[in-house]
Amino acid sequence: MTTELDVAYPARKLAARLATAACCAAVAIALVPLLAVLFYVAKRGLGALSVSFFTELPRPVGERGGGMANAIGGTIELVLLASAMGIPIGIAAGLFLAEYRTTRLARVVRFSADVLAGVPSIIVGVVVYATVVVRMQHFSTLAGAGALAILMLPLVARTTDELARTVPDSLREAALALGASRWRIAIHVVLRTAAPGIRAGCMLAVARVCGETAPLLFTAFNNRFWNESFADPTSSLQVQIFTYAMSPYDDWHAQAWAAALVLVAMVVVLNLAARRVLRGPKPA
Amino acid sequence: MTARESSPEKMRAEGLSAWFGGKRALKDITLPLVERKVTAVIGPSGCGKSTFIRCLNRMHEVVPGARTGGKVLLDGRSIYTRDVDPVRVRRRVGMVFQKPNPFPAMSVRDNVLAGLRLSGIVPPDPNRLAEDALRQAALWDDVKDALDRPGGALSGGQQQRLCIARCLALEPEVVLMDEPCSSLDPAATAKIEELIHELRERYTIVIVTHSMQQAARVSDFTAFFNVGELVEYDLADVIFTKPSDPRTEDYITGRFG
Amino acid sequence: MVNDPAAISPSVRPIDEAPRASVDRSLVALGGAAACIVGLVLLALAVSVLGMALPSIRELGFGFVVGRHWDPAHGDLGALPFLYGTIVTSVVALLVAVPVALGVAIFLTDLGPPPLRRPVAALVELLAAVPGVVYGLWAAIVLAPLLRTTLEPALEAHLGFLPMFRGPKVGVGLLCASLVLAVMILPTVASMSREVLRAVPTELREGGLALGATRWDVVRRIVLPHAKSGIFGAVLLGFGRAVGETMAVAMVVGSRPEITGSLLSPGYTMTSVIANEFAEATSVLHVAALAEIGVLLFVLTFAFNVAARILVAKVRGSESATARDVPAREDHEAA
Ligand SMILES: Nc1ncnc2c1ncn2[C@@H]1O[C@H](COP(=O)(O)OP(=O)(O)OP(=O)(O)O)[C@@H](O)[C@H]1O
Ligand SMILES: [Mg+2]
């Protein structure tokens, strides 16, 4: 019996136990920083959060108090504006990629989208600065949102593409047989069938650009006041966290923690919502 | 019935039940597996045949959320008590899957020796061992010049015999086969059936099959399952000539469902 | 959905076929245009950083890449300290993150208790969702002081015979940046590796188990060899991520363009020097030099990402592999 050959079995079993323990340890190690970050953000953030944080403008150095009302508004404004540009184009591009997946254009664009998703976001900021800010001769909300939209594009397009491709061809054929045209099918059949996933993908894309800071540094820049139009620079939570964290003042640090709490809450809520959308009832 | 009582039992399921999550796939199966005999398990698709034989070497619990109840005895000892290590059980109770699953990255030789290689065991004479197992599986003549080719490069029937060789190389006591011929052509099927005939001399064999003819040809005992329950178990001759349960009769005459 | 009459009925009426066809054509054109925008944006990015960098490329030539001094005020522009900082921080981050990420991935696919797998996967994804600037804040205010007071003295005491663990104990520096990066790329490497491991067919795992192998035997001798190149792809992807990350690094790297050979000393990276100096750069050459660093970044991340995608796609056997998680995949987990 070969089992007799297996004298090493206790060692083998021990190896299996050790490997399992090592994997559990890896999970523990991976979760330590996550919990530490969330713990500090919650603790320091809650300590610094007050009503005035949501309602007041930042005070100059030396004056205590003040808030980040304009930064909260700025982040929301930037993200909404970016979504308005990035999501429709991204979905249209993604549908095209899925429905005309074999064309050379689709292949080139799919590759470009994958590359674009890997481009460091700071480069997007540099280019938008050179092409928009320099031309307009000042920093602007619009430039910041444009930079964020560029970051959203490949995410939305590729998610739409992948999801639309999971729609079975039998559905497409059924619609074709009823005399519907190809693009109409893309919109009415494919898009609707894949809608929950696409919606979730868009929410994840929004969540991701919510936290993007680097491309805003020289596009939306910062603003101590409310921006009066899209042509003005705007404050944002992300950039405020950066500026305040790098300052030597303790009460600015406290404000940075409060801003981080608000930002993390926004991102986490968007992520959870995306998961919910995915879990929800699926079309038959 | 005398035949059953006089022959020694190698394994025995007693009140065996199996679940996938909340879904019960086997209900209270009690069934002996006679030593050095071939037991065929037949029944309509989804009746729990695969689940049953996977319970016999504790492969069922590998599926996330799956669990079992009741007992399975191997040489009179339960294999589901806490002190029994499933890894050891699987060494003694080998398994051949429905779809041939040789390890594609390993050579033919390494595939045969995989049971040992996976465990980091170096056998004293690997080439002998591989040759013996391949001969037993009636594959030696096909592959003796191709031992270093990847296992995935063989034909489907050869791959299945490779999987049988891989199982035999561990010298198990029981061999479980889940529809071993379902992806094979008639010639390869005949080869495997011949093989089962020979293997019966040395091993206790359980085979799941959808083919009545195959069950009648290869098995000594036959068990008929339906929706997770054991309907009838008897000598193969009895099952295929005068079954006592009308459901068995309907099934084997093709009137089922 | 097909049964929905509103979806299809309009085109069933043949009467207004002609105008409809032209509407269709323009809609397709619209989709094609949107797709083109994606491609053109990438092209525009590449061309425009390159264009901005031209004065520097022309004036400084190859000397730029190997120059060790960075003093924009005196027109002394060498990018080596930034290349060095980026590579050192990214490599150290990988050394720290990859073993942990692989452990997590194996936990999620093979060795972890099944009921824990889903929640752990969700937490790891949450790790990826926290913005970089928040990690930066935490690292600057919590981690860096901790390094200064405990970890760095301990490192020097025990490993001080290696020059890389000797140096000023100031908290911020290459080590701190590497650790933050490690935290940030961990989820990327873990979830990509998980995808790759999951692509190894269940039959092979069961085949191994049925031969009396332990789960670890199966992982070590079947799953990992099968997934090797895909895991390598996941690591490259993590490297690309680390190279491109800006904010968290900028906040803790110390911002000093020096090559000291010590992990403890402050340094600088390609992304963080752009973040810190681009808005203030006044001389044409300074701006161009920063843009050229951008070009190098672009090339570096491009190479790593493309290589990673090819490797991962090979293992997954699909024609594409996105770096980002595609939400639909959650649902296929049941198997
Ligand atoms: N992984 C699983 N998860 C949930 N339910 C399962 C799973 N595998 C099998 N089942 C269910 O358990 C029951 C028995 O399945 P089993 O595979 O044992 O049937 P079978 O008799 O082998 O069928 P076939 O002849 O088609 O191979 C079926 O109703 C099936 O739906
Ligand atoms: Mg079956």
Side-chain angles (χ1 to χ4, degrees), chain C residues 71-109:
Chain C
D71 185 5
H74 299 92
D76 197 0
L77 298 163
L80 198 60
F82 310 112
L83 277 166
Y84 167 81
T86 290
I87 289 174
V88 167
T89 50
S90 303
V91 168
V92 174
L94 278 185
L95 289 178
V96 176
V98 167
V100 179
L102 258 185
V104 171
I106 294 172
F107 180 97
L108 292 177
T109 58

Side-chain angles (χ1 to χ4, degrees), chain A residues 177-200:
Chain A
L178 288 171
S181 73
R182 194 134 174 220
W183 189 248
R184 200 158 282 280
I185 292 165
I187 292 177
H188 287 294
V189 180
V190 178
L191 198 55
R192 279 199 207 172
T193 312
I198 294 175
R199 211 173 301 139

Side-chain angles (χ1 to χ4, degrees), chain A residues 185-253:
Chain A
I185 292 165
I187 292 177
H188 287 294
V189 180
V190 178
L191 198 55
R192 279 199 207 172
T193 312
I198 294 175
R199 211 173 301 139
C202 290
M203 290 163 100
L204 290 177
V206 169
R208 181 142 168 255
V209 298
C210 256
E212 278 293 350
T213 313
L216 298 180
L217 291 177
F218 7 93
T219 53
F221 198 60
N222 206 339
N223 192 338
R224 282 190 40 217
F225 308 100
W226 288 98
N227 57 330
E228 265 150 34
S229 78
F230 290 157
D232 289 338
T234 182
S235 180
S236 60
L237 283 171
Q238 302 96 295
V239 175
Q240 281 292 74
I241 295 173
F242 176 58
T243 325
Y244 277 29
M246 299 283 74
S247 79
Y249 317 112
D250 279 342
D251 52 327
W252 276 23
H253 287 178

Side-chain angles (χ1 to χ4, degrees), chain B residues 50 98 178-179:
Chain B
S50 300
Q98 175 169 353
D178 191 355
E179 300 184 45

